[in-house]
Amino acid sequence: MILLGCPESPSQTPMAIYVAQKLAKMDYDVTVASTPSAAKLLEVSDPEEYYVKK
């Protein structure tokens, strides 16, 4: 599980996508939990849910 907080840090979203992709390639089931604003940034950054599935 990847936990994201307030999206004040600009590197948080790309790092979450990068880690989710790396873990998925290692056959981990990745889940991201976050604040609503951080979740919205992930949705905008990965609209096809290619890296972050849930």
Side-chain angles (χ1 to χ4, degrees), residues 4 7 12-14 16-17 32-54:
L4 302 177
Q12 177 176 267
T13 302
I17 291 173
V32 177
S34 69
T35 62
S37 55
K40 192 53 134 175
L41 285 174
L42 277 178
E43 288 175 24
V44 169
S45 300
D46 187 23
E48 300 292 323
E49 297 180 354
Y50 187 76
Y51 299 111
V52 180
K53 308 234 184 302
K54 55 182 173 178

Side-chain angles (χ1 to χ4, degrees), residues 18-33:
Y18 175 79
V19 170
Q21 181 262 341
K22 288 290 186 183
L23 291 171
K25 279 190 171 185
M26 294 168 41
D27 291 326
Y28 283 92
D29 185 24
V30 179
T31 301
V32 177

